Amino acid sequence: MDCRPGCGACCTAPSISSPIPGMPDGKPAGVPCVQLDEQLRCRLFGQPERPEVCRSLHPHAQMCGDSRQEAEAYLLRLEQLTLPADPPTPARTAHKA
């Protein structure tokens, strides 16, 4: 499956924790990558600077849906489902003197 022209959902919806040229700390979910051009195409596509996580993501019918909105909704849901669990908070204990 080829990418949908003018979509860019996979470059906006998910968070990316690895460095991206122009975004050394990666990017949070819902923020467009600085490497998206005006046509919502990746400027780094096929380049070695493109993060591994981006190179490993391939479009498929379930992820892309029938529109950019469906793709973003799918990817944001996947983002939520894969968030790391918050570390447990130590229980506070009261000390009596």
Side-chain angles (χ1 to χ4, degrees), residues 60-79:
H60 60 81
Q62 183 179 6
M63 178 178 77
C64 298
D66 292 323
S67 67
R68 178 181 186 200
Q69 292 75 22
E70 286 183 19
E72 283 188 350
Y74 178 90
L75 290 164
L76 285 171
R77 178 78 175 132
L78 188 61
E79 177 77 22

Side-chain angles (χ1 to χ4, degrees), residues 41-90:
R41 305 288 269 179
C42 178
R43 289 183 182 100
L44 299 176
F45 193 84
Q47 302 298 314
E49 301 85 8
R50 189 170 180 225
E52 176 60 31
V53 67
C54 300
R55 288 193 305 265
S56 67
L57 185 64
H58 300 282
H60 60 81
Q62 183 179 6
M63 178 178 77
C64 298
D66 292 323
S67 67
R68 178 181 186 200
Q69 292 75 22
E70 286 183 19
E72 283 188 350
Y74 178 90
L75 290 164
L76 285 171
R77 178 78 175 132
L78 188 61
E79 177 77 22
Q80 292 169 348
L81 291 171
T82 58
L83 286 175
D86 290 332
T89 305

Side-chain angles (χ1 to χ4, degrees), residues 10-11 14-20 23 25-29 33 51 53-54 79:
C10 60
C11 301
S15 62
I16 298 177
S17 58
S18 57
I20 302 165
M23 300 180 102
D25 297 323
K27 66 169 228 53
C33 178
V53 67
C54 300
E79 177 77 22

Side-chain angles (χ1 to χ4, degrees), residues 2 5-6 13 19 38 62:
D2 292 327
E38 295 76 24
Q62 183 179 6

